[in-house]
Amino acid sequence: MALERTFSIIKPDATRRNLTGAINAKFEAAGLRVVAQKRIQLSKAQAGEFYKVHAERPFYDELCEFMASEPIVAQVLEGEGAIAKNREVMGATNPADAAEGTIRAEFAESVGENSVHGSDAPETAAVEIAYFFSGLELVG
């Protein structure tokens, strides 16, 4: 498998409960390394731009409100097969369906407040990373 980078967000429900370290410990235990990270507060407009792919979905407005409700931690993870590994460690979107030991099984409060976001493909990762980070901020 190739060394790759993926994008990750620790969402407001998790930052509110001070779970950043516990979540990152799971990523690191799985062999992923944080190569860029920042804690920021998104505006509703910024959240809307980031999630514009979901603009026609019924949950879009609620998602944007939630993502702007508290700080998030935006980060870039690096490792062998990082995209697939990140998604495995996060677990299923619905915490009721998430495998034991995954982030969402342990920390998610609901389908909507599921603690983490992760890129689903290399192309998505590139766009999402560029939305939050300049090349100078990616330090391996």
Side-chain angles (χ1 to χ4, degrees):
M1 227 175 241
L3 185 69
E4 62 185 5
R5 289 181 172 170
T6 191
F7 180 71
S8 167
I9 294 176
I10 300 176
K11 293 182 176 181
D13 62 297
T15 62
R16 180 183 70 244
R17 292 177 289 144
N18 204 31
L19 296 173
T20 301
I23 289 171
N24 278 335
K26 287 189 168 291
F27 290 137
E28 291 175 342
L32 296 170
R33 191 162 66 120
V34 177
V35 297
Q37 183 180 69
K38 61 176 85 171
R39 182 180 177 96
I40 58 174
Q41 176 82 46
L42 293 175
S43 68
K44 188 175 177 191
Q46 290 166 324
E49 179 63 24
F50 181 75
Y51 284 108
K52 68 183 174 188
V53 66
H54 298 302
E56 301 303 316
R57 313 267 312 256
F59 60 81
Y60 176 73
D61 285 333
E62 184 178 346
L63 173 63
C64 294
E65 287 283 341
F66 167 62
M67 291 301 291
S69 69
E70 301 265 348
I72 65 163
V73 175
Q75 54 193 14
V76 180
L77 306 175
E78 181 180 79
E80 294 291 321
I83 294 167
K85 180 59 70 178
N86 179 33
R87 297 189 69 75
E88 178 185 320
V89 173
M90 287 191 309
T93 302
N94 184 340
D97 300 331
E100 186 176 329
T102 63
I103 292 167
R104 289 178 173 148
E106 289 190 26
F107 303 125
E109 296 183 313
S110 67
V111 173
E113 295 187 9
N114 60 20
S115 299
V116 285
H117 162 90
S119 301
D120 60 2
E123 300 78 17
T124 310
V127 169
E128 292 179 340
I129 290 168
Y131 186 79
F132 286 95
F133 295 97
S134 74
L136 292 174
E137 294 174 297
L138 305 173
V139 292

